[in-house]
Amino acid sequence: MAEPASDSARPSDGATPPRPQIRRLSEGTVNRIAAGEVVERPASAVKELVENALDAGARRIDVAISGGGKTLISVEDDGCGMTADDLLLAIERHATSKLAVDDAGTEDLVHINSLGFRGEALPSIGAVARLGIISRPRGGEGHALKVEGGKLSGPRPAGTAPGTRIEVRDIFFATPARLKFLKSDRAEAQAVSDVVKRIAMAHPRVAFSLTHEGRTMLRLDAEAAADDEEAHLARLARILGRDFQDNVMPVVIEREGIAIHGHAGLPTFNRGNAQAQYLFVNGRPVRDKLLTGAVRGAYADFLARDRHPILALFVEVDPAEVDVNVHPAKAEVRFRDPGHVRALIVKSLRMALDAAGHRASTTVAGAALGAFRPEPQTLHQPPPQRHLMELASRSFAPSAPATHVPGMEDGHGSGAPAHTPADALAGFERAEARVEDTASTDDLMDRPLGAARGQLHLTYIVSETRDGLILVDQHAAHERLVHERMKKALAEAGIKRQALLVPEVVELGAGEAAALADRSDELAELGLVIEPFGDGTIIVRETPAMLGDTDIQGLVRDLADEVAELGEALSLKERLDEVSGTMACHGSVRAGRRLTAAEMNALLREMEVTPHSGQCNHGRPTYVKLTLPDIEKLFGRR
């Protein structure tokens, strides 16, 4: 539809308005518009060129950039290469070799098995930069051509190895206004690095390298592992580090033509944002709300809302069941059955979390060791010996029969009696006697969480293992145990509901009300009974008893938003989990309570057999394990 004339060009009342002229845009303008969609920054160009190399069957891809990619982008591969005629076609808009054609000559836009297929990348880049391509097919001759601001020169014969090398110089020189929106060279180089890493994660059999200003930022050899999962983990470890390898669980599931595999981090291995969540669909890196929502739902019971898990998840689905053509940069996808995909992701992650048992991440120990490192001395600090004696005199509380300690009901230890030096010495004598009395529990040292040896500050249990020691937060650990019992009881007996004396009427949009009504059976299982009540209105008759006097209007509107966006009523589950967690918190062993050796050991044994006991209901670790080498480092023995 043509744009209306501007206000200044509009005639006075009663006059016939001029007819706006419809004209065809020039090829250069069309290419620059396309470039604005496809090539947002240097990292976008790198992504398109690397994906083209993978579609060409490359087994080695070398990327080099200068000025963060603003000055130079070079992508060289050992793929199938192109002839002179191929080169001329490749720089034309909507020319591609990646779509199958049926007998009638119709391109298949349903079964897409390649990463790039729109045929816009090269002409778009050539419209806003100086583009040079040199390529040679195996067994053929090499040719080169150049495109500068949309102007072609070549192709001409050129000597080169089989494969293709593409150079992009002075990106956006033809559209200078776009340069103002680019970030610093360092930031743009980091964006390029992130793009190459994400693509490399999905293709472990391909070698990658990335250099910036001659400095190597990334070098990955092709993985030669025994199977795909082993190769994937080896590649992920090279990119994300040893911590990732040590603190993830395998994820493998396949149902009804959808396969999900990858590795998910332990709940205590988390970040403050979702940047470390790497999601792929048919080998294509994506940032999709459906997938990130599924991840959030799977970890909802184990992490606080401001913490995010670390994972790399690969979804393999029939190309006919997913639309990868919904975004110009192919960053988003759309599934034919999004609910099934989401449910399968949640199920696969929950299975992996259940299999993790009581494990906590090794990074917890690293953080503890960092906290133990002494700070530089100042003139006002006491001598080291005196400082250690003061610390020892107030740190160790021996186990004794469980008794009520006045002032400890708040769980923060504020009412703990002060220790005098004489009390401290007596405490150490009693502690030594207790350790001797519990020597018969040495066989427990072979258990994962070891044998309890003492209690610190009436809050932390010290346990000994064959290869080190474990420090347990008694309140956080018991809180998780109680929460898991409550979850099991709710699953077996169902969620109790309370009928409203006066049903609540909630007005929504017609589409939101219909979507929520379609989920009425699922909501009823969670304790919320709703019915459609006219066009765009929902009536609530019963609510979960656990929620008590809750904001029904706000709850239903939140549920409607989530069902529309994610296909699942996640907020209701989260509220039930939050109430359950709060009840578990108040019903668990409080900090400041003395525990006997038998009680401490009983707590450790239950932790070993309870899923997710490595973190409390808020995602914090329930225990820290220090190995003997860790302890020896603290004392300078290593």
Side-chain angles (χ1 to χ4, degrees), residues 117-193:
F117 60 92
R118 299 167 70 99
E120 291 180 298
L122 290 179
S124 297
I125 294 172
V128 296
R130 294 183 171 92
L131 174 67
I133 309 175
I134 180 170
S135 185
R136 175 187 163 193
R138 291 183 178 87
E141 300 295 329
H143 290 84
L145 61 72
K146 291 183 178 180
V147 182
E148 293 191 6
K151 297 180 180 180
L152 170 67
S153 64
R156 56 178 176 76
T160 182
T164 301
R165 184 175 77 250
I166 297 179
E167 290 187 356
V168 180
R169 295 183 181 273
D170 303 325
I171 195 169
F172 299 134
F173 90 95
T175 53
R178 296 293 302 274
L179 285 173
K180 296 187 298 183
F181 294 93
L182 297 182
K183 298 182 180 179
S184 66
D185 290 358
R186 182 176 180 180
E188 294 297 340
Q190 190 57 46
V192 171
S193 176

Side-chain angles (χ1 to χ4, degrees), residues 296 300-305 479-480 483 486-487 490 546-547 550 555 558 570-586 617-618:
R296 175 188 162 205
D301 191 30
F302 312 108
L303 287 177
R305 293 184 68 92
E479 179 183 343
R480 168 54 71 179
H483 186 39
M486 293 181 64
K487 286 166 56 180
L490 286 173
M546 290 174 61
L547 297 183
T550 189
L555 173 62
D558 287 346
L570 186 59
S571 61
L572 180 55
K573 293 182 179 179
E574 287 184 343
R575 293 194 188 193
L576 293 174
D577 285 336
E578 183 178 353
V579 172
S580 176
T582 301
M583 295 170 64
C585 180
H586 288 285
N617 306 338
H618 313 292

